[in-house]
Structures are given as structure tokens and as C-alpha cells.
Amino acid sequence: MANEPIPRLRTDLEVQPSDDGTVDVRDPHLLQVFTIPVEDYELAQNFDGKRTADELHAQLKSADRGTSRHRIQQVAEELQDIFLLDTAEAWRQEPVVENTAPWPQISSTNRKLRVLPVAQSDARWACHACGACCHGLAVEITEEEEDRIDPSLYRDILGDRHFAVDAFIDPDQPAVRVLRQRPDENEACVFLMDDGLCAVHARQGMEAKPDACQIFPHVVLQVPGQKPRLTLRLNCETMHETFEAGPQVQGDATSVMRILETSPSHEVPPTTRFFGKELPFAEVDAKLDRLYALLYEGGLTAENLARIDRLLFRGRVGRARARYGARMLDYIDEEDQSPVPVEGGGYSAQVRRLRRGKEAFRAMRDDRPVPRVPPRVEKFFVGQIRNALYGCGPWSLPDAGFASVALMLALEAMIHAVGPKGRLKTANTAFIVMSGPILEMTAHAWPVLEAIDPRHARWLRLREEI
Ligand code: SF4
């Protein structure tokens, strides 16, 4: 490239400037998002496909915009390596489908509820205002939600900056409007105060907060042939503190109903893809009810898990176990070397939250039987699996059958991560981390699906590429 004309930047790229001296660049063709220094991006805007680095250096020098010839060369090579320059090679590349989440079978709906949603009778949860949910999760806001918040009340927090920005959340989606986060504080929301409380809630009241913040972790699901379900997202960091004696979730139904006046709920389609077949919702729901019953009755022993695998999954969990462990270990290592999807950061960062995270995947790779966890940890895991099934967790992926096998593999991994003496807090983190690729961070589902059934994963990729 030394003496060749430097290709220009591709014209299909989308760019979002940040106020930290960088710009985010979304590549809609290859489904990638990069953060690059603003001066490199500005320099690259001079690339025109005609001038060499020497010629560009001479021109910029004469315009007193001294940039070394070496720097021009370096930036050109870096951007060419990540296919942001307009070259035939860039257009020959296949989209990096792994950067996007496989499509869910659940969709959001503005269809209003006519009756109160129903929670499971023994589902219990309460907020501990730990502020953990105000870190890392991007809070997408509508214009109406943005107008609710009066920036003049937060000058001490915001200074002269606005509280919302346009950001790329999914590499396959244009930028969306989100609450600003503090990158140097573990992606804390700009409104999160030192005491773990929300400044908007404190200064303007609960109803001024974005709906996503008001309703978290509640979820309302409209399911075929039944009353709407009130359930929980399972990534709250303190669920282990209230699952036994906390307030019943049903008690939140009325306030959740109020929030749904201005925001969508979710709906499950009448038929569900289950191991490649389209089955009526009720039939799949019954299968998952049976899964929960077998877990509840037989407990989390290696024998009972093997029995469930035979009865419900034709041994798929057992056949995929070693591949799953090995693939997740590779995935974590690969991820540390390459760019990761924007939302939620990298999966390896999640696994590092568990002292025995990688060891759990090694145990799966080596096909080791699960240890027996303490009774309260077992009760917590079985309860969380029940919440996940009632919440149609397996519908978060394109095939609820393979997603259920993935959930069983994740269950074994979380048991290994906690071990025979593990504490409930560790169990909570293990559930969030190991179930993440199936329930919450589905952009990380690809290695799990590959381990379970490579043909299914290949079929999904082809569908995604279309
Ligand atoms: S607005 Fe408040 S509740 Fe919502 S993420 Fe920010 S700090 Fe948390």
C-alpha cells in the first residue's frame, strides 16, 4: 500500500461521535462496530482513492495540518485491516453474524392488556437498590421518556452535557437513543448516585424514570390461550436475597400494568419452533412444565439430570456437554483477542465474575458429573429455572428445543461454578453468567448452539445472512 492510492472510507458506514475523543463506526455490511480515535477518523476522511500517502502528506503539510507520512500509512493500514476502506476485498467479506443475536421467537407488542398479568404464586422478589442494574445495560429511551427528564435539575451531575446520546447497541441496527453511561465507572448510568439510588427518582419521582427502569426486572408476556404472564428478567443481582421470603411478585401487577400504558409488553407466537418442528404453544409449554416438575421432584443430581436428558431431550445434553465446555473456553479466549458486540461487553468479562467460571467449563469439557450443591442453592437454581420457563426463556432463541438443551447445559455449568460449598450470592451470579447467552446476552448464544447442533447453528447463520 506504501505507494498506492489510499482507498477512501466506505460510504455506507454509520458514525456516532462521542465526547471522549472517539467516534463509533458501524459497519452495516459486516455487522461490526468499532471505536476509533476522532483524529484518525478525520484523517481518513481525506482518503480519496487517488492520492498516495506521500501525496496526502504533502498536501496536508501545505495546509499546515501536519500529520506524519508514517501516521497516514498506519491509519490507512489499520482501517483497511478492519475493512472500513472501500476495497473489493472489503466487499468480498461475509457478515460477522456472530456479532448479532440469533432472532428471538418473542416479539414486543403494543396490544394493551385487558386483565392483570398473573405471576406464579410462589414467585418472590424485591429491589435492594444496589444499583447493579444501572450498570452496563443500555437504557433505550423514546422522545416522550426523554422529555420527562428536566436536565436543568441535574447540572451538578451533567455539567453542560446532555443525559442522552445516540449509540450503536446492536451491530445490525442503526443508532438508538440511550441514557448516557460513565465508562470509567463500569458503565454506570449518568443518573446513578453514589448511594446506589437514581437521581431522576429522587428529584422527579418514579414516574419520570424511563419505563425500562420503572419496570425492571418485571416482564409481561402475552401467551396464546392463557392470561398474560407477569414474570421476571433473571439478571437482578440480589434475587437470591428475596426468592424465599420476599414479597410476592403478584403484588406488583397493578403498578406494572400502569407502566404498560406507555410501553410495550411481549408476546409469544401461537406456534413455536421446537427441534425444527413448528408445535402449538400449549404443547411446548407442557413439555417445559414437565421439565420443571422433573427438576423439582428429582433435584439437581447427576443421575436426575441424565434421566431428564433421556426423557425430554433424547440425550442431546449429554452428547453436547464436552463440546459445550470446550467451545465456551475457546470462545472466551477468542473474545479476548477480537472486537466484541457493544451491548454488555464481552462474555469473558462476565465469566471472570465467577472464581470458578472457567473451571466450570473445563468440568463440562471433561464430562465430569455435577457435584451436589447445598439445599438452598439447589432450591434457588430450580426456582430460577422455573422463572425462566414461565417467562418463556427458551423463546429468546430461534428454536425453543435447542434453547432448552442450552439452558440445561448452563444449569450444569452453574452447578460446577458454585460447587458443593457454594453460597447463594455466588449462585445468583452463576445463574446470570451461565444463562446469559440463552436469556439476556443472546449475541453470545452462537458457541452454545454450535456445541449442541452444528447443523442447526449453520442453518441459523445462513438465515441471518439472507
Ligand atoms: S435512570 Fe435511574 S433507574 Fe434508570 S438506569 Fe439510570 S440510575 Fe438506574
Side-chain angles (χ1 to χ4, degrees):
M1 186 188 233
N3 299 317
E4 288 160 19
I6 301 176
R8 64 179 178 173
L9 275 171
R10 283 180 24 216
T11 54
D12 64 322
L13 302 175
E14 296 167 17
V15 178
Q16 281 299 333
S18 308
D19 47 25
D20 61 357
T22 66
V23 294
D24 286 342
V25 179
R26 184 175 90 92
D27 175 349
H29 166 56
L30 296 181
L31 304 175
Q32 306 201 97
V33 174
F34 296 99
T35 300
I36 61 177
V38 68
E39 61 272 16
D40 290 2
Y41 178 72
E42 284 167 356
L43 174 60
Q45 287 179 302
N46 294 291
F47 300 167
D48 58 8
K50 298 189 189 84
R51 288 168 298 175
T52 65
D54 284 335
E55 290 158 346
L56 192 53
H57 175 240
Q59 184 141 10
L60 291 175
K61 200 168 172 201
S62 66
D64 268 346
R65 291 169 46 210
T67 306
S68 73
R69 183 195 164 290
H70 170 71
R71 185 77 202 125
I72 294 170
Q73 192 69 45
Q74 196 180 28
V75 170
E77 280 163 11
E78 281 168 9
L79 298 184
Q80 181 145 330
D81 287 350
I82 54 177
F83 307 110
L84 296 186
L85 299 187
D86 194 359
T87 64
E89 197 200 357
W91 293 107
R92 271 198 302 274
Q93 303 303 308
E94 291 297 329
V96 188
V97 170
E98 291 77 6
N99 280 349
T100 63
W103 71 92
Q105 299 188 77
I106 293 175
S107 54
S108 76
T109 174
N110 289 317
R111 194 157 47 89
K112 291 305 165 209
L113 303 186
R114 290 204 193 87
V115 294
L116 269 187
V118 179
Q120 297 173 92
S121 55
D122 57 355
R124 298 175 180 278
W125 178 80
C127 176
H128 280 64
C130 68
C133 57
C134 304
H135 288 81
L137 297 173
V139 178
E140 220 176 303
I141 53 174
T142 63
E143 211 173 314
E144 184 271 329
E145 288 171 316
E146 190 166 348
D147 292 344
R148 289 183 206 161
I149 301 174
D150 175 357
S152 68
L153 298 174
Y154 307 95
R155 285 291 151 238
D156 57 325
I157 294 174
L158 299 171
D160 54 8
R161 298 192 305 174
H162 190 50
F163 60 80
V165 290
D166 297 317
F168 299 122
I169 300 301
D170 286 325
D172 60 349
Q173 300 293 329
V176 291
R177 197 84 172 142
V178 294
L179 289 182
R180 183 187 288 276
Q181 293 178 324
R182 301 194 294 258
D184 49 354
E185 292 171 53
N186 192 17
E187 303 297 340
C189 170
V190 70
F191 290 122
L192 186 65
M193 301 189 291
D194 295 346
D195 57 7
L197 300 178
C198 169
V200 178
H201 194 138
R203 299 180 192 184
Q204 289 186 258
M206 164 89 162
E207 297 186 6
K209 290 202 293 191
D211 291 350
C213 301
Q214 293 185 42
I215 206 167
F216 183 90
H218 300 90
V219 174
V220 172
L221 269 176
Q222 305 197 38
V223 296
Q226 297 177 10
K227 284 188 175 166
R229 295 181 176 183
L230 175 58
T231 182
L232 300 170
R233 291 177 67 178
L234 302 172
N235 54 351
C236 162
E237 299 284 344
T238 62
M239 295 186 120
H240 63 288
E241 294 183 27
T242 44
F243 79 107
E244 289 165 311
Q248 288 181 302
V249 172
Q250 189 62 45
D252 305 328
T254 311
S255 60
V256 166
M257 197 74 164
R258 179 192 57 70
I259 301 166
L260 291 182
E261 280 158 21
T262 51
S263 62
S265 62
H266 295 79
E267 70 182 347
V268 179
T271 63
T272 295
R273 198 178 175 81
F274 196 83
F275 293 127
K277 293 200 186 84
E278 285 294 331
L279 301 178
F281 168 79
E283 189 178 331
V284 176
D285 196 36
K287 287 177 191 291
L288 299 180
D289 273 352
R290 182 153 181 246
L291 168 57
Y292 167 66
L294 290 168
L295 284 170
Y296 183 79
E297 287 149 18
L300 302 184
T301 64
E303 299 69 30
N304 190 42
L305 293 174
R307 177 169 158 264
I308 292 171
D309 186 23
R310 281 193 308 277
L311 289 173
L312 299 185
F313 303 118
R314 298 195 184 145
R316 286 185 176 92
V317 179
R319 285 197 298 280
R321 184 179 297 115
R323 266 200 316 269
Y324 165 79
R327 186 68 194 91
M328 294 314 282
L329 288 167
D330 290 347
Y331 182 69
I332 294 166
D333 295 343
E334 282 158 22
E335 209 183 50
D336 286 342
Q337 272 108 45
S338 64
V340 296
V342 172
E343 172 133 2
Y347 191 56
S348 57
Q350 292 292 323
V351 175
R352 276 197 291 275
R353 299 179 56 205
L354 291 165
R355 192 170 55 76
R356 298 158 51 93
K358 277 190 133 178
E359 185 48 35
F361 289 132
R362 288 191 200 102
M364 300 288 282
R365 179 198 61 197
D366 305 341
D367 222 355
R368 279 184 246 150
V370 293
R372 197 73 202 255
V373 290
R376 288 184 72 207
V377 168
E378 177 163 308
K379 187 177 172 196
F380 175 73
F381 280 155
V382 172
Q384 290 298 74
I385 293 286
R386 188 179 189 201
N387 284 327
L389 300 177
Y390 186 69
C392 297
W395 278 260
S396 306
L397 292 176
D399 187 297
F402 290 116
S404 304
V405 171
L407 199 55
M408 295 307 286
L409 288 166
L411 176 59
E412 288 191 24
M414 52 187 89
I415 294 171
H416 282 296
V418 172
K421 298 196 183 75
R423 297 176 312 119
L424 274 173
K425 176 138 187 54
T426 310
N428 198 36
T429 308
F431 188 92
I432 293 172
V433 171
M434 296 302 183
S435 71
I438 303 124
L439 303 179
E440 285 289 338
M441 305 174 268
T442 53
H444 301 296
W446 292 104
V448 183
L449 296 172
E450 274 161 26
I452 295 169
D453 189 313
R455 271 170 317 151
H456 171 64
R458 240 190 334 274
W459 174 81
L460 285 181
R461 269 204 195 83
L462 290 174
R463 281 283 306 266
E464 287 277 359
E465 285 170 9
I466 296 166

